[in-house]
Amino acid sequence: VGVTPHYPHRRPYPHVLKRDADAIRGGAPLAEKVSPIITQEKKISAGDKHVDSSIQTREGYSQEEQKPRNKFFENRKMTGRFFTPDENLDRARVAVINQALAKKLFETGDALNNDIRIGDITFTVIGVAEDVQAEQIFGGRPTAYIPLKTAAKRVFGADRLDYIEVVSPSPADAPEARRQIITALRARRGTREDAEDDFEVKTFEAQIEMFKSTMGKLSLVVYSIAGISLLVGGIGIMNIMLVSVTERTREIGLRKALGARNSDILSQFLIEAVVLCVIGGALGVALGFGLGWAAYFFIKVPPTLGAGTITFAFGFSTLIGVGFGFSPALRAALL
């Protein structure tokens, strides 16, 4: 669940503050983990190297939370450790960076226990986390995580949050957690019963639906391009078969003289068209899977090829063969 500012028509614009996070902790029982977050783009330096990076804040994780199955490091490998809540309270100058940033700042990629600079402040790297898989698709986004209080006091000079990230016990609890968060924030801000919320609370389900809607529109464009390609390919198959029928008139006549029926000739040419298309489908599946593995070396996301995908590809190839091969086959049968 994410909490962000919302700007209605009235002024002044409200902000999300640390007090809002405290209100959520006290008024939303289903808020299992509450993380106030500030994120900005800044240059991070090491030696003579300067990298444009994303800086995100956290309040730190206890030793228990830093075990392999905790929320932040789920499915992410890490060397070193994350900073603790005590280091956050002490405004410690420690940082955790991702591999994309480590590789750009240090030739060997070994950033652990080295110093980096954010502005004029020096931080010690105490952990290097694996890049988020979504970031790997785009080559990795250099990112550093620093303590919230250190960032607010020494780096950003402001305590306004960009958003608050809240984890509920399970996905099924997210809607109720959202309701509790809204109630807690309205109470803290003294919002009148008939007044509009000056903040937004979004669940990942809502964001996923928005993503699906966007991807649906993109998929429609891709399907349209694929449809045009299939139409052109089908017309090509039909033309080749028509030429074949003309060139094989003597063969067709000989078969009919030996007793072949029109249905036999029709079946022969339909099978030839389908075989052509199935061979094309097999080459297409192999090429697509091969290109997927070639892309894996850049985006680090392995391709998957299920039986359903293969069946669909060959089924559609057969349909194209029958659809565009029927007219030439019928012409051959009627000679």
Side-chain angles (χ1 to χ4, degrees), residues 21-289:
D22 295 335
I24 293 171
R25 290 190 181 101
L30 288 177
E32 192 175 70
K33 179 72 179 176
V34 181
S35 302
I37 294 174
I38 305 173
T39 177
Q40 284 193 20
E41 302 293 317
K42 279 185 174 291
K43 283 189 181 296
I44 297 181
S45 308
D48 58 351
K49 294 184 178 179
H50 309 277
V51 180
D52 291 322
S53 308
S54 171
I55 300 175
Q56 296 186 21
T57 64
R58 294 290 190 279
E59 288 187 304
Y61 295 85
S62 66
Q63 296 299 327
E64 183 65 25
E65 289 176 313
Q66 294 196 37
K67 289 183 178 180
R69 295 184 62 81
N70 70 72
K71 291 290 188 293
F72 181 75
F73 297 109
E74 191 173 358
N75 299 324
R76 294 180 71 183
K77 296 178 181 178
M78 179 174 177
T79 56
R81 65 176 181 87
F82 209 83
F83 46 84
T84 64
D86 289 339
E87 287 172 319
N88 175 56
L89 292 174
D90 294 339
R91 300 188 178 93
R93 291 183 293 181
V94 292
V96 173
I97 65 176
N98 67 349
Q99 291 176 347
L101 180 57
K103 290 175 182 176
K104 290 190 176 183
L105 289 178
F106 304 95
E107 291 182 1
T108 62
D110 184 15
L112 204 60
N113 299 322
N114 285 310
D115 289 339
I116 60 174
R117 296 188 308 279
I118 303 175
D120 297 328
I121 310 297
T122 300
F123 288 79
T124 300
V125 178
I126 61 172
V128 179
E130 184 182 41
D131 297 335
V132 176
Q133 192 174 48
E135 294 173 346
Q136 293 176 11
I137 298 176
F138 303 100
R141 173 62 177 158
T143 305
Y145 303 91
I146 61 177
L148 175 67
K149 285 188 172 294
T150 307
K153 182 71 176 178
R154 299 181 175 180
V155 180
F156 301 143
D159 60 354
R160 293 180 299 187
L161 306 176
D162 289 297
Y163 62 95
I164 301 171
E165 189 176 271
V166 183
V167 178
S168 63
S170 70
D173 293 319
E176 178 60 20
R178 179 180 183 275
R179 189 193 64 78
Q180 293 178 359
I181 291 168
I182 292 173
T183 301
L185 289 179
R186 287 179 68 89
R188 193 206 72 78
R189 296 178 176 219
T191 307
R192 299 194 315 271
E193 188 174 340
D194 60 341
E196 182 184 355
D197 292 336
D198 54 6
F199 55 87
E200 280 188 292
V201 183
K202 299 178 181 178
T203 62
F204 277 120
E205 284 80 2
Q207 293 175 334
I208 288 170
E209 288 302 319
M210 187 182 302
F211 176 77
K212 284 182 178 178
S213 175
T214 303
M215 289 304 296
K217 295 174 183 176
L218 180 61
S219 296
L220 185 60
V221 175
V222 173
Y223 292 152
S224 299
I225 296 172
I228 294 170
S229 302
L230 288 170
L231 178 62
V232 173
I235 292 172
I237 291 287
M238 185 170 63
N239 287 337
I240 289 171
M241 293 302 297
L242 285 172
V243 171
S244 178
V245 169
T246 303
E247 291 178 344
R248 296 163 65 184
T249 303
R250 287 173 60 84
E251 174 195 334
I252 296 168
L254 182 58
R255 291 197 64 202
K256 284 196 170 185
L258 294 174
R261 296 166 298 177
N262 287 353
S263 59
D264 296 326
I265 304 298
L266 180 69
S267 300
Q268 176 190 347
F269 280 85
L270 269 182
I271 290 171
E272 289 182 14
V274 169
V275 168
L276 275 176
C277 289
V278 168
I279 291 173
L283 291 173
V285 169
L287 180 62
F289 197 52

Side-chain angles (χ1 to χ4, degrees), residues 274 277-278 313-323:
V274 169
C277 289
V278 168
F314 284 118
F316 215 89
S317 297
T318 303
L319 185 62
I320 292 293
V322 172

